[in-house]
Amino acid sequence: EGQISRHMRFIATGSLYAYHIDEKGKENITQLGIENWWVNDLYSYLSELPSRMFIQANENTTIVQISKSNLELLYREVPAISEFWRLKMQSAYVTLQERTFEHSRADAYTKYRNFVTAYRNIEQRFPQYMIASFLGITVEYLSYLRKKHLSDVS
């Protein structure tokens, strides 16, 4: 938090999570990431303003990162990379907007169901309190939703 994000980060192995701390001192998880995913503060990276988020490893993690200046150089020298990133940024925006709409419109069970459907096996990589924070619910309620989901699918 407070630093300007000047790199794009790719998770080669392990897992990362991004969070911010609200005015009450509560940690709010905004991103979870595992191998072959990108985790970054895009707001800070694109605006060049100080980050409002923290990014931490959840387990032993290897990341590959590229500086913004080197990435800009690659855009000019290898047009296919520019196209790749354009599509990545579009996808990231769509995902963020979908999550924003879902967070305000869907009930907790729907959010949980969508989470486990979209991100198979990620639930086993993060503690329940992180999943609960990501979904905007309590750990106790997450436990209830997990049991309900298991009974619904069996």
Side-chain angles (χ1 to χ4, degrees):
E1 185 185 48
Q3 296 177 347
I4 296 173
S5 178
R6 301 190 191 281
H7 296 86
M8 292 301 293
R9 291 166 192 87
F10 178 79
I11 305 169
T13 63
S15 62
L16 298 175
Y17 64 101
Y19 65 96
H20 71 276
I21 298 175
D22 66 21
E23 59 282 345
K24 296 177 184 173
K26 182 181 174 211
E27 198 175 280
N28 295 281
I29 296 178
T30 57
Q31 294 178 38
L32 302 170
I34 58 174
E35 291 86 10
N36 301 314
W37 290 18
W38 297 87
V39 172
N40 200 40
D41 181 344
L42 285 177
Y43 171 82
S44 176
Y45 181 82
L46 295 172
S47 69
E48 298 185 351
L49 294 172
S51 176
R52 296 176 279 185
M53 295 178 13
F54 297 90
I55 299 174
Q56 274 190 273
N58 179 54
E59 54 195 26
N60 287 335
T61 302
T62 301
I63 63 168
V64 178
Q65 65 181 22
I66 185 168
S67 69
K68 189 171 189 177
S69 59
N70 283 339
L71 188 55
E72 292 291 333
L73 182 64
L74 278 174
Y75 288 160
R76 289 189 296 277
E77 292 183 7
V78 185
I81 290 177
S82 181
E83 176 69 4
F84 169 81
W85 279 107
R86 182 183 65 77
L87 295 172
K88 276 291 192 201
M89 292 296 177
Q90 286 176 349
S91 177
Y93 181 77
V94 167
T95 299
L96 175 64
Q97 193 166 42
E98 184 61 38
R99 184 160 185 256
T100 301
F101 285 139
E102 182 179 88
H103 192 72
S104 65
R105 293 182 178 165
D107 62 87
Y109 184 59
T110 301
K111 288 182 209 176
Y112 176 74
R113 231 181 35 242
N114 291 344
F115 174 78
V116 296
T117 301
Y119 307 112
R120 296 192 184 284
N121 303 321
I122 196 173
E123 191 174 13
Q124 290 71 40
R125 302 283 295 276
F126 291 91
Q128 281 196 23
Y129 78 91
M130 287 185 178
I131 304 293
S133 176
F134 181 77
L135 294 173
I137 59 177
T138 65
V139 174
E140 296 79 13
Y141 197 49
L142 175 61
S143 181
Y144 164 78
L145 294 176
R146 290 176 80 197
K147 288 176 189 166
K148 177 176 173 36
H149 182 68
L150 288 173
S151 71
D152 287 353
V153 295
S154 51

